Every structure is written in structure tokens, then in C-alpha cells.
Amino acid sequence: MGAPLVECVPNFSEGRRPEVVASIVAAIEHALGQPILDQHLDPDHHRSVITFAGSPEAVRAAAIAGLAQAVECLDLSRHQGVHPRIGVVDVVPFIPVRGVTLANCVTLAHQVGQQVSVRHGLPVFCYGEAARQAVYRDLAAIRRAVRTVPTFPTPDYGPLRPHPTAGAVVIGAREYLIAFNVELETDALDIAQSIARELRAAQGGLPGVKALGLRLASRGTVQVSCNLTDVRQTRPADVFYAVAAAAKRHGVRVGRPELVGLVPTLDCTIGFDADTRASLFPDEKILSRRLRLE
């Protein structure tokens, strides 16, 4: 069976200063007691995605350490990026891998949420399976509430107003998710947004897909940025070819797809040709192989 394993994939609002992200990674690794699995920095999103795994106790300590470092060195009031966010640490999900249940990860999320709210004076919203408020099961609903309601919404832990430099944080528990982006060879944001609407499960698109159309100023292009929340029904290849078909109808071509973080298993790579699978999903990008679960 092996020792219990939990995955954590915090998203930090910093993608342009590698040295700052390195300090956050160092804090995580020190608490975790081993190297992280993956990091992804994007200057247009102005976001970094860090992936690590370990025992529940080690992962809890590492998440708290990484969040503390981010609160110390990042300032949301100076942040500009195309990806939605509510804090210097936007979201911290805990995912069961081996010998751990989703309920265990819910407990972990609440333990971390309570501790960081007290330590940093940080409002904490709980999402996914850890949600205490039904409306906040969906991460996007929390972001909308923070951005659009006249008064700051009531968090699950912490103060009733955002931290002056760190904002707020969303912490929760969920199953595996794949973050997968497809660039379009155009600078027309309306086309990317139209394709994103077509893909979204909420609007009758692909099962378990959330999508946004975003501008990539550094490249002079746009991107369809997707989260695949049901990897059993929709794989990255399904998204890529759906984007390609929609882009063709708009008279534009797709660029190379981009994986953010890891995929859970080799099965998630099915649907691409052998060369694309080898380059887009090397062994170090497959969680089950990194953790020797296969």
C-alpha cells in the first residue's frame, strides 16, 4: 500500500521574478523535507504554480511555510496579471493520492486555513469539498464575490476585510485537476473568449471543463486557458482538438498546447500522437510515475 500521500498545488501571484518564486520554493522544500515535484511560472498570467507531495503532516507544514513566505515578499496592490486572483496566494488545494481520503484533505484544508488566518490576519475562504458555504464550492464563485459584491464577503476564517498587501486566500480539497492551455495564432481576444465559452461545461461544452480567454501580451497572442476537473471524461487531447476545430471556424490556427503542472496518470495523455505525447508529457510530468505509483 505504501505510506499516505497528499498532493498540494498552491498558486502564487508572482510569475515575473524567478528569484522571489525560488524563495517560496525554498520555504516549501525546507518544511517538506524533500524537493518539490514541479514549478511553472508565467509572466502574462503573473502566476506561479508549485506542485509537491508527501505525508499529510509534511504537506501541511510545507503549505503553511510557502504561504508565509509569499505573504512576506509579495504585494497584491502592485500586482497586474491576466489571471483572476484574490490574494498573493490565490488558491491552495489538497488532493488525495494514496492512503488518504478526500475527507482527510478537507480536515487538512481547515487546519491550514485556521492557522494561517490567525498567524497572518488573512481572510480564508474554503472551497471544493472543504466548502462550509455551499455557494463557495466553486472557486470562480469566490473570486466573483470578492470582486463584485459591494462589501467583502464573509470568510470561513480570519478578518472581515482583506489583508492590505496579501488580500485573501482560498484553501480547499478536491480530486485531480489538469491545467491545460492552448495558444491561438492571433491577438483577437474576442475569439479566445468565444472559444472558451464554447468549451465550458457550464455552458454545454466539454464535461468538467472551465475555460477563459486571456491575452498574452509578451507573445502578442491570446490563449484559451482551461482547467479539466473531471479527467475521467475529458482529457487534454479532447480540449486541444475542440479548440483547434473552433479556431478553424474563426479562421485562425492553434499554437502549441501547454501543460501547467502535472497530469495524474499516463492515461491522461491518450489522444495525442506519439511525438506530442513524448514532448508534452515526459515522465517527470506524470504524477503516478514521479511518485512510483505505477
Side-chain angles (χ1 to χ4, degrees):
M1 181 67 178
L5 283 175
V6 174
E7 181 188 24
C8 187
V9 192
N11 288 215
F12 299 94
S13 297
E14 177 57 64
R16 299 172 185 168
R17 296 178 294 169
E19 72 281 3
V20 174
V21 177
S23 74
I24 296 171
V25 170
I28 291 171
E29 291 183 334
H30 179 75
L32 188 66
Q34 62 189 31
I36 63 167
L37 297 172
D38 189 74
Q39 62 177 305
H40 181 96
L41 279 69
D42 189 299
D44 292 300
H45 288 218
H46 204 354
R47 192 175 184 87
S48 59
V49 178
I50 310 299
T51 306
F52 55 94
S55 70
E57 296 79 12
V59 166
R60 178 175 60 237
I64 290 169
L67 195 147
Q69 181 64 17
V71 169
E72 180 179 329
C73 65
L74 301 179
D75 185 346
L76 193 67
S77 68
R78 300 180 181 181
H79 180 89
Q80 292 183 333
V82 298
H83 199 289
R85 73 278 176 191
I86 68 167
V88 295
V89 187
D90 181 51
V91 60
V92 183
F94 295 97
I95 303 102
V97 176
R98 180 180 66 195
V100 176
T101 66
L102 201 50
N104 297 144
C105 289
V106 168
T107 299
L108 202 56
H110 284 286
Q111 289 172 342
V112 172
Q114 186 172 35
Q115 184 165 340
V116 301
S117 70
V118 172
R119 179 175 176 181
H120 302 292
L122 195 64
V124 176
F125 297 90
C126 295
Y127 89 111
E129 295 301 315
R132 286 180 166 175
Q133 306 177 62
V135 68
Y136 292 155
R137 285 184 66 86
D138 182 45
L139 176 59
I142 299 174
R143 292 198 185 116
R144 282 194 299 271
V146 170
R147 286 199 316 266
T148 61
V149 299
T151 57
F152 192 71
T154 303
D156 293 290
Y157 300 102
L160 299 178
R161 62 187 66 187
H163 187 285
T165 58
V169 62
V170 185
I171 301 177
R174 60 164 172 78
E175 298 287 1
Y176 290 121
L177 174 154
I178 298 174
F180 185 74
N181 304 326
V182 183
E183 190 173 352
L184 304 180
E185 294 182 357
T186 177
D187 62 356
L189 182 59
D190 61 325
I191 293 179
Q193 292 172 332
S194 174
I195 294 173
R197 283 193 297 272
E198 185 177 327
L199 258 62
R200 288 182 200 134
Q203 294 174 278
L206 297 175
V209 172
K210 300 179 178 182
L212 293 171
L214 302 174
R215 191 181 302 281
L216 304 179
S218 69
R219 307 180 210 177
T221 60
V222 294
Q223 177 188 78
V224 181
S225 177
C226 301
N227 280 344
L228 285 59
T229 64
D230 188 343
V231 299
R232 291 163 300 198
Q233 291 196 71
T234 304
R235 297 185 176 108
D238 301 322
V239 170
F240 178 75
Y241 291 115
V243 172
K248 186 176 181 179
R249 291 195 296 272
H250 286 278
V252 301
R253 298 177 54 157
V254 295
R256 184 171 176 77
E258 176 187 50
L259 175 68
V260 179
L262 308 181
V263 296
T265 66
L266 187 62
D267 285 348
C268 297
T269 72
I270 292 171
F272 285 109
D273 61 72
D275 289 342
T276 303
R277 287 178 71 180
S279 60
L280 191 59
F281 307 104
D283 280 356
E284 59 266 25
K285 285 288 188 177
I286 300 172
L287 181 68
S288 59
R289 293 196 166 184
R290 292 293 302 277
L291 298 179
R292 299 180 180 177
L293 302 176
E294 293 184 338

